[in-house]
Amino acid sequence: MTDARKARIYLAVIALLVLVIAAMIYKFIVLGSTGGTTDGRTVVLIEPGERTFVLGEMRGLLAGVQGISEALAGDDVARVAKIARGLGMQAETGAPPGLMGKLPLEFKKLGLSVHTDFDAIASSAEAKAAPKDLLRQMSGLMQKCIACHNAYQFNSPPARSASLGVHLAARPDWVW
């Protein structure tokens, strides 16, 4: 075998590996593990424990929004800052391994922007912004929550029969 032929084979193998890596990046970073629905939302297919984690995170964000609303009603901007900072980018998630690869890129971007918005609200509150201005920021953040809930739902992937290799019915417990 000539050196030129070996070089072509090496280049072909490298090109194939680059294509496989690019496909994996596209699948795990951009697409995630998703499917379609009859109502136009994207179903994010995650395991039951991952779903419990994600929904728990959302309930925590909602509780934080309620706490901020209560603090704003009492003109307590120091409490707004404390609650919002706890929901910002520094919040430790402890996400299950592999979950981030299943989430579509747009969902990840939206989630990141929500945490960034909480940091911005905390910074504004620490700078003694008027409650009305903080409410305006909260309204923008809540629009992102609504957009997310309008765009996504979570479900477990359909079970596969190991012996038959066929999909079994998906569980209908994904409405949130």
Side-chain angles (χ1 to χ4, degrees):
M1 186 178 305
T2 67
D3 287 341
R5 181 160 169 80
K6 284 182 186 177
R8 281 194 298 264
I9 291 172
Y10 292 147
L11 286 175
V13 169
I14 291 170
L16 180 63
L17 290 174
V18 167
L19 286 174
V20 168
I21 291 169
M24 290 175 64
I25 288 172
Y26 181 72
K27 167 68 176 141
F28 292 109
I29 293 180
V30 177
L31 288 182
S33 182
T34 61
T37 64
T38 58
D39 67 1
R41 294 188 290 169
T42 299
V43 175
V44 181
L45 300 168
I46 55 179
E47 298 301 321
E50 295 167 333
R51 181 178 181 272
T52 299
F53 173 81
V54 170
L55 298 181
E57 290 284 305
M58 288 181 193
R59 284 189 298 275
L61 293 172
L62 184 58
V65 167
Q66 188 280 327
I68 290 171
S69 297
E70 185 178 292
L72 285 171
D75 291 329
D76 187 352
V77 293
R79 185 164 171 239
V80 170
K82 181 179 179 184
I83 294 169
R85 188 65 67 201
L87 298 171
M89 292 299 293
Q90 296 178 5
E92 185 177 331
T93 64
L99 174 62
M100 293 306 285
K102 295 176 182 178
L103 302 175
L105 181 60
E106 290 305 313
F107 180 89
K108 290 183 253 197
K109 285 181 183 178
L110 200 51
L112 180 65
S113 73
V114 165
H115 289 290
T116 301
D117 286 356
F118 275 117
D119 278 336
I121 291 166
S123 294
S124 295
E126 289 162 355
K128 307 296 184 210
K132 186 175 183 177
D133 293 330
L134 295 170
L135 265 174
R136 195 171 293 115
Q137 286 179 280
M138 286 297 297
S139 177
L141 183 141
M142 291 301 300
Q143 289 173 357
K144 291 179 181 181
C145 295
I146 292 166
C148 183
H149 284 262
N150 282 333
Y152 300 101
Q153 57 181 261
F154 291 90
N155 195 0
S156 299
R160 282 191 175 263
S161 168
S163 60
L164 300 175
V166 297
H167 287 288
L168 301 176
R171 296 181 351 197
D173 62 346
W174 41 272
V175 177
W176 34 279

